[in-house]
Amino acid sequence: MSTENNKEIVVNFYTTFLSDKADRAFAMMDENASWTVMGKSGTEAQLNTMSKAQFIELIKAVGALFPNGLRATIKGITAEGDRVALESESYGETTSGKIYNNTYHTLFEIRDGKIQAVREYCDTLHVHDVFGG
């Protein structure tokens, strides 16, 4: 696949995975895909790698916390070969009334037209502050 095709896969994935069309996005992931959240939670080092199935469960649980949805906006995208880097920002109000507004740098690895691995960098302290431990 070309670099442009890989960018298109990531943009399509990102613009649909928080929507009511999430199953379309999840179909873009290889069955053995992994999603790793990099960073720290509170004061403890954390590296949380999830399988595709675990990631889907997390997204569905997170979605339930946002009665008006969670908006995700792409701020920039860069690609080289099978790697696509995406800068983005999320915004939403949780069921408890807290505002979740985070920024991300997410690196996608694409092979044979499918997302193989994702490494997400975000403000994990903000995640902890909004959602707890």
Side-chain angles (χ1 to χ4, degrees):
M1 308 261 337
S2 73
T3 300
E4 287 304 312
N5 287 354
N6 290 339
K7 284 171 63 173
E8 185 178 326
I9 289 167
V10 169
V11 169
N12 287 338
F13 173 84
Y14 202 78
T15 57
T16 59
F17 90 99
L18 291 175
S19 73
D20 58 350
K21 299 176 180 114
D23 288 339
R24 281 191 207 167
F26 300 140
M28 296 176 205
M29 297 175 73
D30 186 81
E31 288 308 310
N32 296 313
S34 63
W35 190 289
T36 303
V37 178
M38 313 294 285
K40 295 183 177 185
S41 178
T43 58
E44 295 181 24
Q46 178 183 9
L47 183 65
N48 184 14
T49 299
M50 296 167 275
S51 67
K52 176 181 178 178
Q54 291 168 321
F55 174 71
I56 290 170
E57 285 181 35
L58 174 67
I59 292 303
K60 288 180 179 179
V62 167
L65 298 174
F66 294 92
N68 298 316
L70 179 63
R71 185 176 72 242
T73 305
I74 295 173
K75 300 293 188 173
I77 188 165
T78 305
E80 183 176 322
D82 64 354
R83 296 162 51 105
V84 179
L86 182 79
E87 293 177 282
S88 61
E89 181 175 0
S90 65
Y91 183 88
E93 185 175 344
T94 67
T95 53
S96 68
K98 290 184 178 180
I99 298 298
Y100 181 68
N101 183 208
N102 210 336
T103 54
Y104 308 85
H105 185 274
T106 310
L107 181 63
F108 293 81
E109 293 180 21
I110 313 293
R111 190 171 50 253
D112 300 324
K114 295 276 189 175
I115 297 168
Q116 303 293 322
V118 181
R119 288 186 296 284
E120 174 185 303
Y121 300 81
C122 65
D123 182 350
T124 54
L125 184 56
H126 179 59
V127 173
H128 186 268
D129 289 345
V130 173
F131 301 110

mmCIF file of all heavy atoms in Angstrom, residues 46-81:
data_model
loop_
_atom_site.group_PDB
_atom_site.id
_atom_site.type_symbol
_atom_site.label_atom_id
_atom_site.label_comp_id
_atom_site.label_asym_id
_atom_site.label_seq_id
_atom_site.Cartn_x
_atom_site.Cartn_y
_atom_site.Cartn_z
ATOM 1 N N GLN A 46 3.318 3.620 33.542
ATOM 2 C CA GLN A 46 2.269 2.767 32.995
ATOM 3 C C GLN A 46 2.522 2.545 31.514
ATOM 4 O O GLN A 46 2.816 3.463 30.780
ATOM 5 C CB GLN A 46 0.908 3.428 33.178
ATOM 6 C CG GLN A 46 -0.234 2.627 32.594
ATOM 7 C CD GLN A 46 -1.548 3.366 32.737
ATOM 8 O OE1 GLN A 46 -1.592 4.529 33.121
ATOM 9 N NE2 GLN A 46 -2.622 2.713 32.401
ATOM 10 N N LEU A 47 2.424 1.311 31.108
ATOM 11 C CA LEU A 47 2.453 0.956 29.708
ATOM 12 C C LEU A 47 1.326 -0.040 29.543
ATOM 13 O O LEU A 47 1.388 -1.148 30.035
ATOM 14 C CB LEU A 47 3.791 0.329 29.334
ATOM 15 C CG LEU A 47 3.984 -0.038 27.870
ATOM 16 C CD1 LEU A 47 3.972 1.216 27.008
ATOM 17 C CD2 LEU A 47 5.288 -0.781 27.689
ATOM 18 N N ASN A 48 0.266 0.384 28.917
ATOM 19 C CA ASN A 48 -0.941 -0.419 28.832
ATOM 20 C C ASN A 48 -1.157 -0.868 27.396
ATOM 21 O O ASN A 48 -1.579 -0.085 26.565
ATOM 22 C CB ASN A 48 -2.140 0.403 29.336
ATOM 23 C CG ASN A 48 -3.408 -0.400 29.361
ATOM 24 O OD1 ASN A 48 -3.393 -1.619 29.259
ATOM 25 N ND2 ASN A 48 -4.521 0.287 29.491
ATOM 26 N N THR A 49 -0.840 -2.139 27.117
ATOM 27 C CA THR A 49 -1.043 -2.686 25.780
ATOM 28 C C THR A 49 -2.297 -3.543 25.781
ATOM 29 O O THR A 49 -2.447 -4.429 26.618
ATOM 30 C CB THR A 49 0.171 -3.527 25.326
ATOM 31 O OG1 THR A 49 1.317 -2.677 25.297
ATOM 32 C CG2 THR A 49 -0.057 -4.106 23.944
ATOM 33 N N MET A 50 -3.183 -3.252 24.821
ATOM 34 C CA MET A 50 -4.447 -3.966 24.703
ATOM 35 C C MET A 50 -4.502 -4.696 23.371
ATOM 36 O O MET A 50 -3.980 -4.209 22.372
ATOM 37 C CB MET A 50 -5.621 -2.976 24.762
ATOM 38 C CG MET A 50 -5.751 -2.240 26.064
ATOM 39 S SD MET A 50 -6.914 -0.847 25.926
ATOM 40 C CE MET A 50 -5.809 0.431 25.293
ATOM 41 N N SER A 51 -5.197 -5.808 23.370
ATOM 42 C CA SER A 51 -5.510 -6.492 22.120
ATOM 43 C C SER A 51 -6.624 -5.715 21.424
ATOM 44 O O SER A 51 -7.231 -4.819 22.011
ATOM 45 C CB SER A 51 -5.979 -7.920 22.401
ATOM 46 O OG SER A 51 -7.235 -7.887 23.075
ATOM 47 N N LYS A 52 -6.924 -6.082 20.198
ATOM 48 C CA LYS A 52 -8.026 -5.455 19.479
ATOM 49 C C LYS A 52 -9.323 -5.590 20.270
ATOM 50 O O LYS A 52 -10.061 -4.613 20.442
ATOM 51 C CB LYS A 52 -8.182 -6.080 18.093
ATOM 52 C CG LYS A 52 -9.357 -5.551 17.300
ATOM 53 C CD LYS A 52 -9.476 -6.227 15.940
ATOM 54 C CE LYS A 52 -10.686 -5.732 15.175
ATOM 55 N NZ LYS A 52 -10.764 -6.348 13.835
ATOM 56 N N ALA A 53 -9.605 -6.788 20.777
ATOM 57 C CA ALA A 53 -10.845 -7.021 21.532
ATOM 58 C C ALA A 53 -10.894 -6.162 22.794
ATOM 59 O O ALA A 53 -11.939 -5.583 23.121
ATOM 60 C CB ALA A 53 -10.980 -8.497 21.890
ATOM 61 N N GLN A 54 -9.778 -6.046 23.498
ATOM 62 C CA GLN A 54 -9.741 -5.214 24.705
ATOM 63 C C GLN A 54 -9.927 -3.740 24.359
ATOM 64 O O GLN A 54 -10.606 -3.012 25.086
ATOM 65 C CB GLN A 54 -8.411 -5.418 25.439
ATOM 66 C CG GLN A 54 -8.276 -6.781 26.065
ATOM 67 C CD GLN A 54 -6.852 -7.056 26.536
ATOM 68 O OE1 GLN A 54 -5.876 -6.690 25.873
ATOM 69 N NE2 GLN A 54 -6.742 -7.697 27.691
ATOM 70 N N PHE A 55 -9.323 -3.299 23.256
ATOM 71 C CA PHE A 55 -9.477 -1.910 22.833
ATOM 72 C C PHE A 55 -10.938 -1.607 22.498
ATOM 73 O O PHE A 55 -11.477 -0.572 22.893
ATOM 74 C CB PHE A 55 -8.567 -1.617 21.632
ATOM 75 C CG PHE A 55 -8.772 -0.249 21.063
ATOM 76 C CD1 PHE A 55 -8.353 0.883 21.758
ATOM 77 C CD2 PHE A 55 -9.395 -0.073 19.843
ATOM 78 C CE1 PHE A 55 -8.559 2.162 21.246
ATOM 79 C CE2 PHE A 55 -9.603 1.192 19.318
ATOM 80 C CZ PHE A 55 -9.180 2.309 20.022
ATOM 81 N N ILE A 56 -11.602 -2.519 21.787
ATOM 82 C CA ILE A 56 -13.012 -2.327 21.436
ATOM 83 C C ILE A 56 -13.859 -2.219 22.706
ATOM 84 O O ILE A 56 -14.728 -1.339 22.804
ATOM 85 C CB ILE A 56 -13.505 -3.470 20.524
ATOM 86 C CG1 ILE A 56 -12.849 -3.336 19.139
ATOM 87 C CG2 ILE A 56 -15.024 -3.466 20.403
ATOM 88 C CD1 ILE A 56 -13.073 -4.530 18.231
ATOM 89 N N GLU A 57 -13.608 -3.075 23.691
ATOM 90 C CA GLU A 57 -14.341 -2.998 24.964
ATOM 91 C C GLU A 57 -14.126 -1.651 25.631
ATOM 92 O O GLU A 57 -15.070 -1.046 26.150
ATOM 93 C CB GLU A 57 -13.885 -4.109 25.909
ATOM 94 C CG GLU A 57 -14.400 -5.478 25.564
ATOM 95 C CD GLU A 57 -13.919 -6.530 26.553
ATOM 96 O OE1 GLU A 57 -13.787 -6.216 27.752
ATOM 97 O OE2 GLU A 57 -13.666 -7.664 26.109
ATOM 98 N N LEU A 58 -12.885 -1.172 25.633
ATOM 99 C CA LEU A 58 -12.575 0.121 26.251
ATOM 100 C C LEU A 58 -13.323 1.249 25.552
ATOM 101 O O LEU A 58 -13.937 2.092 26.217
ATOM 102 C CB LEU A 58 -11.073 0.384 26.207
ATOM 103 C CG LEU A 58 -10.639 1.771 26.688
ATOM 104 C CD1 LEU A 58 -10.890 1.934 28.176
ATOM 105 C CD2 LEU A 58 -9.188 2.029 26.342
ATOM 106 N N ILE A 59 -13.301 1.267 24.240
ATOM 107 C CA ILE A 59 -13.964 2.337 23.485
ATOM 108 C C ILE A 59 -15.466 2.337 23.757
ATOM 109 O O ILE A 59 -16.082 3.385 23.937
ATOM 110 C CB ILE A 59 -13.669 2.225 21.981
ATOM 111 C CG1 ILE A 59 -12.197 2.527 21.716
ATOM 112 C CG2 ILE A 59 -14.558 3.148 21.161
ATOM 113 C CD1 ILE A 59 -11.725 3.890 22.201
ATOM 114 N N LYS A 60 -16.062 1.165 23.827
ATOM 115 C CA LYS A 60 -17.502 1.086 24.116
ATOM 116 C C LYS A 60 -17.796 1.591 25.529
ATOM 117 O O LYS A 60 -18.782 2.298 25.745
ATOM 118 C CB LYS A 60 -18.003 -0.335 23.919
ATOM 119 C CG LYS A 60 -18.054 -0.707 22.449
ATOM 120 C CD LYS A 60 -18.548 -2.107 22.223
ATOM 121 C CE LYS A 60 -18.602 -2.394 20.724
ATOM 122 N NZ LYS A 60 -19.050 -3.744 20.426
ATOM 123 N N ALA A 61 -16.949 1.242 26.496
ATOM 124 C CA ALA A 61 -17.139 1.713 27.876
ATOM 125 C C ALA A 61 -16.949 3.220 27.966
ATOM 126 O O ALA A 61 -17.727 3.917 28.629
ATOM 127 C CB ALA A 61 -16.169 0.991 28.815
ATOM 128 N N VAL A 62 -15.929 3.733 27.293
ATOM 129 C CA VAL A 62 -15.677 5.174 27.301
ATOM 130 C C VAL A 62 -16.845 5.906 26.641
ATOM 131 O O VAL A 62 -17.304 6.936 27.137
ATOM 132 C CB VAL A 62 -14.341 5.502 26.594
ATOM 133 C CG1 VAL A 62 -14.213 6.989 26.297
ATOM 134 C CG2 VAL A 62 -13.173 5.032 27.440
ATOM 135 N N GLY A 63 -17.344 5.376 25.545
ATOM 136 C CA GLY A 63 -18.468 6.002 24.853
ATOM 137 C C GLY A 63 -19.677 6.179 25.741
ATOM 138 O O GLY A 63 -20.390 7.192 25.658
ATOM 139 N N ALA A 64 -19.908 5.216 26.625
ATOM 140 C CA ALA A 64 -21.058 5.286 27.536
ATOM 141 C C ALA A 64 -20.909 6.417 28.553
ATOM 142 O O ALA A 64 -21.900 6.852 29.142
ATOM 143 C CB ALA A 64 -21.234 3.955 28.252
ATOM 144 N N LEU A 65 -19.695 6.910 28.756
ATOM 145 C CA LEU A 65 -19.448 7.979 29.723
ATOM 146 C C LEU A 65 -19.715 9.375 29.160
ATOM 147 O O LEU A 65 -19.650 10.357 29.882
ATOM 148 C CB LEU A 65 -18.001 7.914 30.229
ATOM 149 C CG LEU A 65 -17.612 6.644 30.966
ATOM 150 C CD1 LEU A 65 -16.117 6.657 31.279
ATOM 151 C CD2 LEU A 65 -18.435 6.489 32.232
ATOM 152 N N PHE A 66 -20.019 9.437 27.859
ATOM 153 C CA PHE A 66 -20.232 10.723 27.197
ATOM 154 C C PHE A 66 -21.620 10.743 26.561
ATOM 155 O O PHE A 66 -21.780 10.357 25.404
ATOM 156 C CB PHE A 66 -19.149 10.962 26.135
ATOM 157 C CG PHE A 66 -17.776 11.130 26.706
ATOM 158 C CD1 PHE A 66 -16.940 10.034 26.858
ATOM 159 C CD2 PHE A 66 -17.335 12.371 27.113
ATOM 160 C CE1 PHE A 66 -15.672 10.184 27.402
ATOM 161 C CE2 PHE A 66 -16.071 12.533 27.659
ATOM 162 C CZ PHE A 66 -15.232 11.434 27.807
ATOM 163 N N PRO A 67 -22.630 11.228 27.293
ATOM 164 C CA PRO A 67 -24.003 11.192 26.772
ATOM 165 C C PRO A 67 -24.182 11.987 25.487
ATOM 166 O O PRO A 67 -25.043 11.659 24.671
ATOM 167 C CB PRO A 67 -24.832 11.771 27.913
ATOM 168 C CG PRO A 67 -23.880 12.506 28.786
ATOM 169 C CD PRO A 67 -22.554 11.834 28.619
ATOM 170 N N ASN A 68 -23.376 13.014 25.285
ATOM 171 C CA ASN A 68 -23.462 13.817 24.055
ATOM 172 C C ASN A 68 -22.342 13.494 23.083
ATOM 173 O O ASN A 68 -22.088 14.254 22.154
ATOM 174 C CB ASN A 68 -23.449 15.310 24.396
ATOM 175 C CG ASN A 68 -24.638 15.695 25.242
ATOM 176 O OD1 ASN A 68 -25.751 15.270 24.972
ATOM 177 N ND2 ASN A 68 -24.398 16.464 26.284
ATOM 178 N N GLY A 69 -21.643 12.395 23.334
ATOM 179 C CA GLY A 69 -20.555 11.964 22.468
ATOM 180 C C GLY A 69 -19.227 12.597 22.837
ATOM 181 O O GLY A 69 -19.163 13.572 23.582
ATOM 182 N N LEU A 70 -18.188 12.005 22.329
ATOM 183 C CA LEU A 70 -16.827 12.514 22.486
ATOM 184 C C LEU A 70 -16.354 12.921 21.098
ATOM 185 O O LEU A 70 -16.337 12.110 20.176
ATOM 186 C CB LEU A 70 -15.912 11.432 23.075
ATOM 187 C CG LEU A 70 -14.451 11.811 23.273
ATOM 188 C CD1 LEU A 70 -14.319 12.958 24.288
ATOM 189 C CD2 LEU A 70 -13.663 10.592 23.750
ATOM 190 N N ARG A 71 -16.006 14.172 20.953
ATOM 191 C CA ARG A 71 -15.568 14.693 19.656
ATOM 192 C C ARG A 71 -14.049 14.551 19.549
ATOM 193 O O ARG A 71 -13.321 14.848 20.492
ATOM 194 C CB ARG A 71 -15.974 16.159 19.528
ATOM 195 C CG ARG A 71 -15.668 16.756 18.165
ATOM 196 C CD ARG A 71 -16.163 18.179 18.041
ATOM 197 N NE ARG A 71 -15.335 19.089 18.831
ATOM 198 C CZ ARG A 71 -15.779 19.824 19.854
ATOM 199 N NH1 ARG A 71 -17.041 19.754 20.227
ATOM 200 N NH2 ARG A 71 -14.970 20.628 20.497
ATOM 201 N N ALA A 72 -13.577 14.103 18.415
ATOM 202 C CA ALA A 72 -12.143 13.993 18.158
ATOM 203 C C ALA A 72 -11.825 14.760 16.887
ATOM 204 O O ALA A 72 -12.487 14.583 15.867
ATOM 205 C CB ALA A 72 -11.738 12.537 18.010
ATOM 206 N N THR A 73 -10.830 15.629 16.968
ATOM 207 C CA THR A 73 -10.464 16.492 15.849
ATOM 208 C C THR A 73 -9.022 16.227 15.447
ATOM 209 O O THR A 73 -8.127 16.262 16.297
ATOM 210 C CB THR A 73 -10.614 17.974 16.241
ATOM 211 O OG1 THR A 73 -11.938 18.190 16.722
ATOM 212 C CG2 THR A 73 -10.327 18.893 15.071
ATOM 213 N N ILE A 74 -8.807 15.956 14.176
ATOM 214 C CA ILE A 74 -7.451 15.765 13.667
ATOM 215 C C ILE A 74 -6.799 17.127 13.507
ATOM 216 O O ILE A 74 -7.357 18.027 12.885
ATOM 217 C CB ILE A 74 -7.474 15.010 12.324
ATOM 218 C CG1 ILE A 74 -8.013 13.586 12.530
ATOM 219 C CG2 ILE A 74 -6.081 14.991 11.691
ATOM 220 C CD1 ILE A 74 -8.228 12.816 11.245
ATOM 221 N N LYS A 75 -5.601 17.270 14.078
ATOM 222 C CA LYS A 75 -4.853 18.522 14.006
ATOM 223 C C LYS A 75 -3.718 18.465 12.991
ATOM 224 O O LYS A 75 -3.277 19.480 12.485
ATOM 225 C CB LYS A 75 -4.279 18.879 15.384
ATOM 226 C CG LYS A 75 -5.330 19.071 16.464
ATOM 227 C CD LYS A 75 -6.153 20.294 16.173
ATOM 228 C CE LYS A 75 -7.075 20.603 17.340
ATOM 229 N NZ LYS A 75 -7.764 21.862 17.176
ATOM 230 N N GLY A 76 -3.221 17.246 12.712
ATOM 231 C CA GLY A 76 -2.141 17.089 11.748
ATOM 232 C C GLY A 76 -1.885 15.616 11.495
ATOM 233 O O GLY A 76 -2.233 14.772 12.312
ATOM 234 N N ILE A 77 -1.294 15.329 10.343
ATOM 235 C CA ILE A 77 -1.000 13.945 9.992
ATOM 236 C C ILE A 77 0.276 13.920 9.151
ATOM 237 O O ILE A 77 0.459 14.761 8.271
ATOM 238 C CB ILE A 77 -2.188 13.283 9.267
ATOM 239 C CG1 ILE A 77 -1.955 11.798 9.071
ATOM 240 C CG2 ILE A 77 -2.517 13.988 7.976
ATOM 241 C CD1 ILE A 77 -3.218 11.026 8.702
ATOM 242 N N THR A 78 1.137 12.961 9.465
ATOM 243 C CA THR A 78 2.392 12.775 8.749
ATOM 244 C C THR A 78 2.569 11.288 8.510
ATOM 245 O O THR A 78 2.273 10.487 9.399
ATOM 246 C CB THR A 78 3.584 13.305 9.582
ATOM 247 O OG1 THR A 78 3.343 14.666 9.925
ATOM 248 C CG2 THR A 78 4.887 13.199 8.825
ATOM 249 N N ALA A 79 3.044 10.926 7.332
ATOM 250 C CA ALA A 79 3.214 9.508 7.036
ATOM 251 C C ALA A 79 4.519 9.258 6.300
ATOM 252 O O ALA A 79 4.983 10.100 5.517
ATOM 253 C CB ALA A 79 2.046 9.002 6.205
ATOM 254 N N GLU A 80 5.075 8.109 6.586
ATOM 255 C CA GLU A 80 6.258 7.637 5.874
ATOM 256 C C GLU A 80 6.188 6.120 5.844
ATOM 257 O O GLU A 80 6.123 5.472 6.898
ATOM 258 C CB GLU A 80 7.535 8.091 6.576
ATOM 259 C CG GLU A 80 8.782 7.675 5.824
ATOM 260 C CD GLU A 80 10.051 8.222 6.466
ATOM 261 O OE1 GLU A 80 10.040 9.361 6.953
ATOM 262 O OE2 GLU A 80 11.037 7.474 6.478
ATOM 263 N N GLY A 81 6.142 5.562 4.655
ATOM 264 C CA GLY A 81 6.067 4.109 4.521
ATOM 265 C C GLY A 81 4.828 3.560 5.208
ATOM 266 O O GLY A 81 3.718 4.017 4.947
#
